[in-house]
Amino acid sequence: HEAVTSVAHFAYGAACGAIYGLVQRRWRARPLVKGSLFGMAVWSVSYLGFLPVTGLLPSAIRQPKSRNLLMIVAHLIW
């Protein structure tokens, strides 16, 4: 179970990175701005949409603020 979870997480991250590589060329902004916006989009789609819909995690709305802050900062740094 842990191995499948790790592989799925890295595959999802790699797919998001590939999408970023394609779309960032069209944005006229500094790399830090583009990366930050994309990181927030990935967090939003994941924690407010994909994960709750699939039943893997409750919505970020139902998570503690401290966890949301941690996840947002992680996605901004990523």
Side-chain angles (χ1 to χ4, degrees):
H1 183 71
E2 288 181 30
V4 171
T5 301
S6 293
V7 169
H9 185 256
F10 284 106
Y12 185 70
C16 288
I19 292 168
Y20 176 75
L22 295 173
V23 300
Q24 62 87 23
R25 296 178 195 157
R26 298 178 184 175
W27 296 350
R28 293 182 185 228
R30 295 178 185 256
L32 181 62
V33 173
K34 292 190 284 189
S36 297
L37 290 173
F38 192 79
M40 288 307 303
V42 169
W43 179 84
S44 298
V45 167
S46 300
Y47 288 88
L48 295 171
F50 173 69
L51 293 170
V53 167
T54 59
L56 294 171
L57 280 176
S59 173
I61 295 167
R62 293 192 167 106
Q63 297 288 332
K65 290 179 183 180
S66 59
R67 176 168 167 70
N68 286 332
L69 180 60
L70 174 68
M71 292 294 101
I72 289 169
V73 169
H75 283 81
L76 288 172
I77 292 171
W78 165 77

